Amino acid sequence: MSIRPAVHLAVPVDDLSAARAFYGTLLGLPEGRSSDHWVDWNLYGHQLVTHLVPDPVLPAGNSEVDDHDVPIPHFGLLLAAEAFHKLAGRVRAGGVSFLVEPYVRFPGQPGEQWTMFFRDPAGNALEFKSFRDESQVFAR
């Protein structure tokens, strides 16, 4: 994987204990600073912050990609193949329901990639990908 600038992303959650169980225990992300209202997570070198917001997360909708309904908005990372499959195993073992099961999207085409979608306990949609050839991330 190439070195990229780190991203900062803040997302709403309605239960910090559930967020800790999901992001910390299930996904295995190291916890950083925190307060009674937010928690920082090390998302593979990126700063993800879960902020306590009492209102539920409402999805905007879906968009079709490769015959799958993709939740909008969503966030995630591009991972190396080994990390992608390890994460998929953790999610499956944790009993999380996939919105889109791990599969290869665009096989044999530019941008061929493994992808998977699932939601955190607050309803935030996450997508993780692994490109067969990372130089093809923006290929047409």
Side-chain angles (χ1 to χ4, degrees):
M1 299 286 292
S2 62
I3 296 174
R4 295 183 178 94
V7 170
H8 165 83
L9 176 66
V11 298
V13 298
D14 57 359
D15 182 333
L16 286 179
S17 294
R20 281 189 165 100
F22 182 81
Y23 289 102
T25 304
L26 180 72
L27 298 187
L29 304 182
E31 184 174 331
R33 293 178 303 275
S34 67
S35 80
D36 292 341
H37 304 296
W38 53 267
V39 179
D40 278 351
W41 301 100
N42 180 345
L43 180 66
Y44 297 82
H46 302 278
Q47 185 187 36
L48 172 65
V49 186
T50 50
H51 284 272
L52 186 59
V53 176
D55 298 322
V57 174
L58 299 175
N62 293 307
S63 180
E64 187 178 317
V65 179
D66 194 35
D67 295 325
H68 288 87
D69 283 332
V70 171
I72 305 299
H74 63 264
F75 70 94
L77 290 177
L78 309 180
L79 301 173
E82 183 178 337
F84 175 91
H85 293 291
K86 182 177 180 180
L87 179 61
R90 288 180 76 115
V91 170
R92 185 170 277 116
V96 174
S97 297
F98 287 98
L99 299 171
V100 176
E101 288 274 345
Y103 82 104
V104 176
R105 178 189 284 168
F106 312 130
Q109 300 177 44
E112 178 179 319
Q113 61 195 262
W114 278 94
T115 189
M116 63 179 155
F117 287 85
F118 51 90
R119 291 191 187 278
D120 74 5
N124 294 297
L126 291 85
E127 176 185 21
F128 290 88
K129 301 180 177 191
S130 178
F131 281 78
R132 180 179 50 81
D133 177 353
E134 191 173 314
S135 72
Q136 297 288 301
V137 170
F138 298 107
R140 294 177 156 216

